[in-house]
Each structure stands twice: as C-alpha cells, then as structure tokens.
Amino acid sequence: MDNRQDWRWQLANRITTAGELEKIISLSAEEKEDIEKCLGSFRMAVTPYYASLMDRYDRNCPIRLQAVPSLKETVRDKSDLDDPLGEVHFNPVPNVVRRYPDRALFIVTVQCGSYCRHCTRRRIVGSDECSVVGRKEIECAVDYISRTPEIRDVLISGGDPFVLSTEKLEEIISSIRAIEHVEI
C-alpha cells in the first residue's frame, strides 16, 4: 500500500507553512506574506490529500478558502469572542464541557488533520501544550461523568478524536460506555 494512503502519513506530512503550500497551489508574494503574518496568530495544517483537492489557481476555491489562512482572520472586531461558544464557563472538570443538564462534551485532543479557518476552538486547537489528553485527565473526566447520573449523552470531540490511535480511542469509548447511565 502507498504510504500516502495511510492517515498517519497524512498527519505526519501536513502542510504548515506558506512555502510548503506554494508547492501545491499558486500563491502571489503578497499571499505568502499574508499567510505568514496570519500564522503569527493562528496555526495552519492541511493534509496533503486535502490540499490536493484545492484548485491550484482559483483563489475562491471553497476548499482553499476553508484551509488557507487569510490576513482577514487577524482583524478583531469588538464583538469577537475568544470563546464564541462560551465553553470555558461550563467546565465542571478539565476537558468536560457541560452546557446542558443531560449531555457532556468530552474534549480528548486539540489536534486535527487539517485546521479549518472557521474553527470556533482555534484558541486551543493545534496547541502543542497538550495535544492529547493524558490518562489522569481521562480518569478525571470519566469519574465526573460517572458521578453525574443526569448525563445520558457524551459527545467525544476535540480537535478531531480520529487523530488518536485506535487503541487510545477505544480506551476512551470503553470507559464512557461502561457508565450505566450514559445512553449515547
């Protein structure tokens, strides 16, 4: 099998700089400069496969617009929020967001294969500080969920949980499924 078809290869070879991106799509000197300025505030990561779907010359290609940073992202309006979903205020324990009585969001990673330009968690997504939630954090979250019988629905999210190994993801899912009151 061609290594490029393996998701691990795709993650390991993500495009993260304007120079790398320029090998895939046509960029003017101004666009390259704008991308580099934007990368001072926000991360870029695009898998080679996703980048291959972009129209090389069309600056309005929808896939390109979703993946390629724009200097417009750095313009802050007074109405902009760092946490637009207000998740920080609903963290009973680290990595768990509980905005609704019967459900919880369990953030298990801050990594994604590709970073979408519209991401509402961009304040944390791509952070090198804690790319994958550790065993202690998982145990703390699972303990909280198991001690909170009104929670019947747990959404495993992040970043993208599918960047985790199958074993790690299975460990997390098994821990949640073992909680009697969790239905979904």
Side-chain angles (χ1 to χ4, degrees), residues 41-60:
S41 300
F42 302 110
R43 296 157 197 86
M44 173 180 71
V46 184
T47 62
Y49 171 74
Y50 198 70
S52 76
L53 300 174
M54 293 180 203
D55 184 304
R56 180 169 177 76
Y57 301 103
D58 182 3
R59 291 184 180 151
N60 293 312

Side-chain angles (χ1 to χ4, degrees), residues 1-19:
M1 177 175 89
D2 182 355
N3 277 348
R4 291 174 290 177
Q5 306 247 346
D6 186 290
W7 66 271
R8 290 169 290 252
W9 185 91
Q10 289 287 322
L11 284 179
N13 290 280
R14 292 182 300 175
I15 297 157
T16 59
T17 68

Side-chain angles (χ1 to χ4, degrees), residues 13-69:
N13 290 280
R14 292 182 300 175
I15 297 157
T16 59
T17 68
E20 294 168 336
L21 188 60
E22 186 177 39
K23 295 173 186 172
I24 308 294
I25 60 174
S26 176
L27 294 173
S28 69
E30 182 182 1
E31 284 177 299
K32 281 179 61 176
E33 186 178 322
D34 286 354
I35 290 169
E36 292 299 339
K37 285 179 185 173
C38 187
L39 292 179
S41 300
F42 302 110
R43 296 157 197 86
M44 173 180 71
V46 184
T47 62
Y49 171 74
Y50 198 70
S52 76
L53 300 174
M54 293 180 203
D55 184 304
R56 180 169 177 76
Y57 301 103
D58 182 3
R59 291 184 180 151
N60 293 312
C61 167
I63 297 170
R64 185 173 170 157
L65 291 172
Q66 172 136 333
V68 178

Side-chain angles (χ1 to χ4, degrees), residues 19-134:
E20 294 168 336
L21 188 60
E22 186 177 39
K23 295 173 186 172
I24 308 294
I25 60 174
S26 176
L27 294 173
S28 69
E30 182 182 1
E31 284 177 299
K32 281 179 61 176
E33 186 178 322
D34 286 354
I35 290 169
E36 292 299 339
K37 285 179 185 173
C38 187
L39 292 179
S41 300
F42 302 110
R43 296 157 197 86
M44 173 180 71
V46 184
T47 62
Y49 171 74
Y50 198 70
S52 76
L53 300 174
M54 293 180 203
D55 184 304
R56 180 169 177 76
Y57 301 103
D58 182 3
R59 291 184 180 151
N60 293 312
C61 167
I63 297 170
R64 185 173 170 157
L65 291 172
Q66 172 136 333
V68 178
S70 164
L71 199 53
K72 293 176 186 176
E73 294 175 49
T74 63
V75 177
R76 296 248 335 165
D77 184 81
K78 62 182 178 184
S79 63
D80 286 344
L81 302 171
D82 288 331
D83 180 19
L85 301 179
E87 294 176 336
V88 171
H89 301 293
F90 296 96
N91 291 110
V93 296
N95 302 68
V96 173
V97 178
R98 186 157 174 233
R99 291 187 66 152
Y100 306 101
D102 67 337
R103 57 186 56 102
L105 174 71
F106 184 9
I107 298 174
V108 297
T109 181
V110 295
Q111 298 297 315
C112 292
S114 292
Y115 298 134
C116 299
R117 306 322 309 163
H118 63 272
C119 182
T120 58
R121 288 196 187 113
R122 69 158 128 210
R123 70 190 184 284
I124 60 169
V125 169
S127 169
D128 293 330
E129 293 175 21
C130 125
S131 62
V132 177
V133 175

